[in-house]
Amino acid sequence: MLESEVIAMRTGSEPVTARSPLRMRLWLSLWGTVWALFGLVAFSMNGRPGWAAACAVVLLLAVVDLCVITYRMRQGPHYQPGRDVPPYEPDHGDGRPRGPGPGAADGGRPGGGRTDPPYGRA
């Protein structure tokens, strides 16, 4: 192997940090909905009940997919991050926190940022 060759190594976290192309799925699902509806109407008018039923099944699947896509898009950037959001750190399964360490978000106050008086003290 030459020194000038660069090999892209996998980190092993790709399935965990993968992002769903929801906009592409939305347009493909809309395209499938339009064609399935067209096929349903065309085959129904020409007396082909088997093909019309097949188009009805495809139409049902496309509409369900549209519902799932819009639900996930409305969940916000955690589920559909933009280009400015870096990939998430994968869950290691050993209880390690994913985000910044303790004290980062609460200003380093003792008690994890709680402002109420501690109970049990007199």
Side-chain angles (χ1 to χ4, degrees), residues 32-80:
T33 300
V34 168
W35 278 105
L37 184 61
F38 173 75
L40 176 65
V41 170
F43 286 123
S44 294
M45 292 178 69
N46 288 322
R48 303 281 186 163
W51 285 105
C55 287
V57 169
V58 171
L59 179 64
L60 178 68
L61 290 173
V63 169
V64 168
D65 192 36
L66 276 173
C67 293
V68 169
I69 292 167
T70 55
Y71 173 75
R72 289 189 178 167
M73 287 179 92
R74 289 176 186 237
Q75 285 181 326
H78 177 70
Y79 295 97
Q80 179 62 28

